[in-house]
Amino acid sequence: MSLLLTPSQQEQVVAAIRSAELVTSGEVRVHIETNCLESDVIERAKQVFADLGMHRTDLKNGVLFYLATDDRKFAVLGDKGINERVPDNFWNNVRDTMRAHFKKNEFAEGLSQGIQLAGEQLKTFFPRQANDINELSDDISFG
């Protein structure tokens, strides 16, 4: 259960995931928890990535949007298939777009726009294939 997003806002985020996945073979997940269990948000995002089985995609092209609400931390983490092919600053504009919305407490909008932007950027490196299958759940997971 998320106190951060209303049920309709959760639907908005899931719709953004589904929309992004229409243009890329990349697989997007969102995970929200109250506290980051590690001092380094990237390390926690890596743990969640593994816990969700996101490393099991064929092309190693999963993307995790991780939020720790009470700690006010978030991360965007791509699997090794993505990180091997994209420039180092690939996630910067996604992060900056999300941060601008989060500062205004617009969490659903920040997530939705970040997901859409990630999908648009990923389609260059991982275009959607005719035989594309949804390898990971589109539902938001909660810690």
Side-chain angles (χ1 to χ4, degrees), residues 107-123:
F107 295 100
E109 192 63 31
L111 279 167
S112 297
Q113 285 196 5
I115 291 164
Q116 283 300 130
L117 194 54
E120 287 297 316
Q121 289 180 195
L122 283 172
K123 79 177 178 183

Side-chain angles (χ1 to χ4, degrees), residues 15-142:
I17 293 169
R18 291 183 177 141
S19 177
E21 290 182 356
L22 289 176
V23 298
T24 179
S25 63
E27 293 288 335
V28 177
R29 292 289 319 255
V30 172
H31 182 82
I32 300 172
E33 56 191 14
T34 54
N35 297 105
C36 184
L37 303 179
E38 296 286 335
S39 58
D40 181 352
V41 68
I42 297 294
E43 287 306 310
R44 178 59 184 151
K46 287 178 182 177
Q47 289 173 353
V48 171
F49 195 97
D51 291 346
L52 295 175
M54 293 184 65
H55 57 285
R56 294 190 195 114
T57 61
D58 281 346
L59 298 176
K60 304 293 182 213
N61 60 352
V63 179
L64 175 65
F65 288 79
Y66 169 84
L67 277 74
T69 57
D70 288 359
D71 293 332
R72 303 186 63 80
K73 293 181 179 183
F74 75 99
V76 181
L77 185 67
D79 203 349
K80 69 179 183 177
I82 293 172
N83 294 334
E84 289 171 352
R85 296 181 67 183
V86 302
D88 290 340
N89 63 352
F90 187 74
W91 298 114
N92 290 358
N93 62 343
V94 173
R95 179 200 61 217
D96 295 347
T97 296
M98 293 172 65
R99 181 176 289 138
H101 284 286
F102 292 172
K103 284 183 177 181
K104 297 184 280 185
N105 291 322
E106 297 171 351
F107 295 100
E109 192 63 31
L111 279 167
S112 297
Q113 285 196 5
I115 291 164
Q116 283 300 130
L117 194 54
E120 287 297 316
Q121 289 180 195
L122 283 172
K123 79 177 178 183
T124 301
F125 299 94
F126 296 93
R128 184 175 172 92
Q129 305 298 311
N131 61 349
D132 190 76
I133 59 166
N134 193 6
E135 296 179 87
L136 299 173
S137 171
D138 297 334
D139 293 335
I140 300 169
S141 62
F142 299 96

